[in-house]
Each structure stands twice: as structure tokens, then as C-alpha cells.
Amino acid sequence: MKKYILIAFILANAVVFAQKGPKIEFKDKDNTIDYGTTNKEDDNGIRTFEFTNTGDEDLVITNVQSTCGCTIPTKPTEPIKPGKTGKIEVKYNMHTGPIRKTITVESNAVNVEEGRVAIKIKGEVIEKPVVNLLEKKSTSPMMQ
């Protein structure tokens, strides 16, 4: 019985790994870009996800969609040839507070379920601290 289970497992893996067609692999760990802690005055909110077509046919990105209107993704217009890289640009509107957004990429890739893969952005947008030049300092620079 164990032999049959092992053979079935090996055959299932062979089918999965022997898939022909386009395959999408994102460069970023866990398909996530971390904005870190940033402020909206110094950051335009644009980040780029890079991916590679690791398959043997042209990869076509058919749709890229965000979970909300505060994140605007743009997809490549041309097919990505095997072995070549493509980019999906994401612009977040930099509202103050935490960033936790998911963007769904739809394609003809055979290595992701139904050709869909989720990419994410995370981080935090803070207000830029205001420096009051007229405020009296608590210690004199001479006393340091």
C-alpha cells in the first residue's frame, strides 16, 4: 500500500512540475513590497513589482485589480516572452495610517491557481513632524 501511495505522489508531482505554458514568478519575497514607515510629503507612493516568465510560452497579464480605489495598479500591455521580465507598477495615495492592500493579478500562467496571484503592499504612512524654529530649546548647545 505504501508503494502505491509513493508512486501516486511521484506521478502527481511530475504532472505539476512538467506543466507546459507560461509561468509567473515574482521577485519580491512573499509577493509583498514593504513601504516601511514613510511620510506622504517625501514619498510619491509608487512601487514596482518585477516578475519573470519562467515558462515556455508568452505570458499575458489580462487584468490587475486592487481591493480599493486608493491603490492604482498598471499592467504590462505586451506579452512577456519566456525568460523575460515584466513590471506591474502600483501607486498608493499615501493616506496617513497603516498600509495593507492586496492586488490581484490575472494571467494565463499555469503555475498559479486559475492564473491568479495576489501581490501585496504594506507599511505605514505618518505625518511629517513639524519643526518649530521659534520654540525655545531645553538645553543650550554650549552646555553639551
Side-chain angles (χ1 to χ4, degrees):
M1 183 66 171
K2 288 181 183 180
K3 286 183 184 180
Y4 293 119
I5 292 173
L6 179 62
I7 291 171
F9 179 74
I10 292 171
L11 288 175
N13 278 332
V15 169
V16 170
F17 291 112
Q19 289 177 330
K20 297 280 187 186
K23 297 177 184 176
I24 190 167
E25 297 289 334
F26 280 91
K27 174 183 164 188
D28 300 294
K29 181 181 178 201
D30 299 327
N31 300 345
T32 302
I33 289 182
D34 189 351
Y35 280 62
T37 302
T38 185
N39 65 68
K40 60 184 173 182
E41 288 82 13
D42 296 335
D43 193 333
N44 64 7
I46 298 174
R47 300 295 187 273
T48 303
F49 285 90
E50 289 186 21
F51 61 89
T52 302
N53 178 1
T54 59
D56 56 8
E57 294 178 19
D58 286 0
L59 174 68
V60 178
I61 305 296
T62 55
N63 192 24
V64 180
Q65 180 173 326
S66 175
T67 53
C68 77
C70 61
T71 308
I72 302 169
T74 51
K75 69 179 185 74
T77 55
E78 299 294 320
I80 310 303
K81 300 284 184 196
K84 299 296 181 183
T85 60
K87 296 178 181 183
I88 295 173
E89 191 171 90
V90 176
K91 177 163 179 29
Y92 180 67
N93 67 5
M94 303 303 282
H95 282 305
T96 303
I99 304 170
R100 300 280 182 272
K101 303 297 173 195
T102 301
I103 298 101
T104 303
V105 178
E106 297 176 4
S107 69
N108 63 338
V110 297
N111 64 323
V112 290
E113 189 174 335
E114 296 181 15
R116 291 187 183 142
V117 63
I119 56 178
K120 298 176 183 183
I121 59 173
K122 68 179 185 176
E124 184 176 9
V125 178
I126 60 171
E127 292 286 333
K128 189 172 186 175
V130 178
V131 177
N132 184 351
L133 297 175
L134 300 176
E135 185 177 300
K136 185 176 180 181
K137 296 196 185 251
S138 59
T139 61
S140 168
M142 299 296 244
M143 296 183 78
Q144 292 181 357

